[in-house]
Every structure is written in C-alpha cells, then in structure tokens.
C-alpha cells in the first residue's frame, strides 16, 4: 500500500490551517494595546459557544441518562463550582444507569 500524495498534501494543509487559526488569535491579541468592546464581547461568548457545541449533541443524541445528567449538572453549575457540578452530573448518570435502568 503506497502513500497517496494527495492525502499527504491534504493532511499538511489541514495542519497548517489549524496552526494558523490557533496562532492567529494569539498574534492578534498581542498586537492590540486595548481590546475593542466588540472583540471583548465576542471573546466572552466563546466559552458558552464551546460548551454548547459539546453538550448539545450529547443531549439530543444521548439517552435519558445523559439528558438527566446534563440537566442536573446545568442546575448545579448555577450555584456551585465546576468540580461539584461534574460530580453531580456523573453521580446522576450513574444512578440513572444502575438504579433506574435508563
């Protein structure tokens, strides 16, 4: 089985694009003396967007145990720090799977 030159070129292009997108934000921020309010607002929205992309597929494609765990974790996160939220979500999923049979 030979190495496909087109596939190697595609992998190299994807690696370069990934590197440039990651380093681009860092270079942009270091060149700015002050962060414009719109950029600050966009940066503040990134964590919520990332969490949404992680949780939404699991919520809509997962079973009832996953849905219940995510709901409990979301509610706990409103009041308690992240580690407690993770434990609450994990414990809910374990109870749902092993005791409730979900």
């Amino acid at each position: 089985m030979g190495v496909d030159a087109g596939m190697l070129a595609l992998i190299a292009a994807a690696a370069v694009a990934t590197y440039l997108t990651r380093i681009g934000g860092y270079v942009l921020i270091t060149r700015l003396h002050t962060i414009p309010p719109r950029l600050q607002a966009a940066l503040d929205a990134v964590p919520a967007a990332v969490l949404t992309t992680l949780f939404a597929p699991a919520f809509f494609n997962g079973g009832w145990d996953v849905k219940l765990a995510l709901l409990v974790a979301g509610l706990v996160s409103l009041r308690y720090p992240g580690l407690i939220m993770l434990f609450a979500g994990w414990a809910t999923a374990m109870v749902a799977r092993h005791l409730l049979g979900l």
Side-chain angles (χ1 to χ4, degrees):
M1 180 174 182
V3 177
D4 185 11
M7 185 61 72
L8 284 178
L10 180 63
I11 291 171
V16 169
T18 301
Y19 179 75
L20 290 176
T21 56
R22 289 184 180 232
I23 197 72
Y26 175 75
V27 169
L28 179 66
I29 292 296
T30 57
R31 303 239 180 223
L32 295 175
H33 297 290
T34 59
I35 298 175
R38 285 185 168 213
L39 180 59
Q40 183 66 44
L43 291 174
D44 289 342
V46 168
V50 169
L51 286 175
T52 301
T53 60
L54 292 174
F55 290 134
F59 185 83
F60 290 109
N61 294 326
W64 284 104
D65 56 337
V66 174
K67 289 176 177 53
L68 189 61
L70 288 174
L71 286 174
V72 168
L75 291 174
V76 170
S77 71
L78 296 175
R79 173 109 174 132
Y80 296 104
L83 191 58
I84 294 173
M85 182 244 347
L86 286 174
F87 179 77
W90 172 80
T92 302
M94 293 299 109
V95 167
R97 289 176 185 164
H98 296 289
L99 297 179
L100 303 177
L102 296 177

